[in-house]
Amino acid sequence: MPQTTFTPKRRAALSTLAVAALSVVCAAHPGAARAQDAWPTKPVRIVVPFTPGGTTDILARAVAPELSKAFGQQFVVDNRGGAGGNVGADIVAKAPNDGYTLLMGTVGTHGINRALYPKLPFDPIKDFAPITQVASVPNVMEMNVAKAKELNINNVADFIKYAKANPGKLNMASSGSGTSIHLAGELFKTMTGSFMTHIPYRGSGPALLDLVGGSADVMFDNLPSSMAQIKGGKLKPLAVTSSKRSPALPDIPTVEEAGGPSLKGYEASSWFGLLAPAGTPPDIIDRIQKEVAKALATPAMQEKLMAQGAIPSGSTPAEFAKFIDAEHTKWAKVVKASGAKVD
């Protein structure tokens, strides 16, 4: 068989054809091309859809340094509060799906808001790729200490009695309309037949400042963001909103335990997890999940989070996606039963 001779001119022509063919493949499969890049080659942004100081922010700032160490690039927390988390979530939904913009999503942004808001600028399911659930936490029903003392409210039963006798005289702070903090309070109102005036903030941080300062009376906050104030004696915990007592506050009853027959079956816990824009390369998703799960499994991280009342997770992308679907169904029923609405 005669041998083929490759002249310099022919070699150049073949190289041009190879580059052209590769360009066609990359154009047809841009995600695959990006996935093969040496990600990350620049800092990664984790959008927190609330102001600093709340549990979403606390968890993002706990995970970010671990990811920075694992990948050799900075993972930077970017707080973008507003509209019950919808402002920050929308930023991520519309970001390039290249792995450089992530969201610390919540039960609000991905479990509640689609049922609560008549129109969202994003689809919590179609516009995101779940990465991993980071942690779940109970909420804690708590009062301004001076207000509780002034009104002689020592427990949930005392609170219900006063709230029903004085509708609208107590105000209820939340981290924003549609958050689990808001819905936990709305569910309480519905089940007890009481009424409190809802005051939404742009995150737990500013809401807690007003609660401690006395401008707000009660809040159903995520436990981690309130733990320091509770331990410091600046807030009075009445009950936790989970179905079981929290190991972090073992002496504090659940709302169901403390509230009597009217609150039988009450449960309104929160969760937090990382998500990316839909279409983000699966290998990037998997790499992030594995590193988060590894960090959450360390004794130091377990101790840190559980001391604040958070239960670490680290679920797979498939498990997290299934969980989010179930949460949509659950919270749609809660929203309907509570009658809560956001214009």
Side-chain angles (χ1 to χ4, degrees):
M1 182 180 293
Q3 293 184 341
T4 302
T5 302
F6 292 97
T7 64
K9 184 174 182 181
R10 187 169 184 183
R11 286 195 189 96
L14 288 171
S15 296
T16 301
L17 286 172
V19 170
L22 180 60
S23 299
V24 170
V25 171
C26 290
H29 303 283
R34 285 196 302 270
Q36 293 172 18
D37 291 343
W39 179 94
T41 59
K42 62 182 181 179
V44 177
R45 178 172 61 150
I46 301 178
V47 174
V48 169
F50 298 98
T51 54
T55 299
T56 319
D57 184 65
I58 290 171
L59 292 174
R61 293 181 190 278
V63 168
E66 301 301 320
L67 290 173
S68 297
K69 285 189 289 185
F71 291 107
Q73 285 287 347
Q74 287 298 307
F75 279 66
V76 182
V77 174
D78 182 11
N79 297 88
R80 296 296 188 95
N86 292 336
V87 171
D90 189 45
I91 289 172
V92 178
K94 292 177 171 59
N97 55 359
D98 54 10
Y100 290 99
T101 304
L102 310 177
L103 175 72
M104 182 60 81
T106 71
V107 63
T109 60
H110 283 76
I112 296 172
N113 287 0
R114 189 163 71 171
L116 189 68
Y117 287 79
K119 187 175 181 180
L120 287 178
F122 60 89
D123 188 306
I125 300 295
K126 295 179 181 179
D127 293 341
F128 293 89
I131 300 174
T132 185
Q133 183 181 346
V134 173
S136 59
V137 305
N139 291 5
V140 57
M141 181 183 180
E142 59 196 7
M143 286 192 72
N144 172 275
V145 172
K147 176 65 73 171
K149 185 176 181 180
E150 173 194 337
L151 301 179
N152 196 30
I153 295 176
N154 298 302
N155 50 47
V156 174
D158 290 342
F159 185 93
I160 295 171
K161 182 178 179 181
Y162 181 86
K164 291 181 75 171
N166 300 275
K169 286 192 176 182
L170 292 172
N171 60 58
M172 178 183 76
S174 84
S175 54
S177 296
T179 61
S180 70
I181 296 171
H182 171 209
L183 264 290
E186 292 294 343
L187 184 59
F188 183 92
K189 287 160 60 175
T190 298
M191 293 179 73
T192 59
S194 59
F195 176 73
M196 299 166 274
T197 302
H198 175 223
I199 303 177
Y201 290 78
R202 291 172 65 88
S204 283
L208 282 171
L209 284 176
D210 275 3
L211 187 63
V212 171
S215 300
D217 302 323
V218 64
M219 188 172 173
F220 291 74
D221 191 31
N222 303 143
L223 184 52
S225 51
S226 281
M227 185 62 81
Q229 304 289 4
I230 290 171
K231 289 186 173 180
K234 295 181 179 180
L235 291 175
K236 181 179 179 62
L238 298 179
V240 291
T241 66
S242 48
S243 58
K244 297 180 181 178
R245 293 193 183 199
S246 169
L249 290 176
D251 296 330
I252 304 301
T254 67
V255 170
E256 181 177 18
E257 278 184 277
S262 65
L263 287 166
K264 183 174 176 57
Y266 180 98
E267 194 271 332
S269 297
S270 302
W271 55 262
F272 307 83
L274 284 173
L275 303 102
T280 298
D283 74 317
I284 293 178
I285 298 289
D286 290 339
R287 289 172 64 194
I288 296 171
Q289 185 275 328
K290 285 181 172 60
E291 293 300 335
V292 172
K294 187 187 300 182
L296 292 176
T298 62
M301 185 70 85
Q302 293 255 330
E303 183 179 351
K304 178 180 180 179
L305 296 186
M306 293 184 76
Q308 298 181 71
I311 301 172
S313 177
S315 57
T316 67
E319 289 169 340
F320 192 28
K322 185 177 179 180
F323 177 75
I324 289 173
D325 284 339
E327 286 291 282
H328 274 295
T329 302
K330 169 188 171 180
W331 285 101
K333 293 177 182 177
V334 173
V335 169
K336 184 177 181 180
S338 71
K341 295 180 180 178
V342 176
D343 296 328

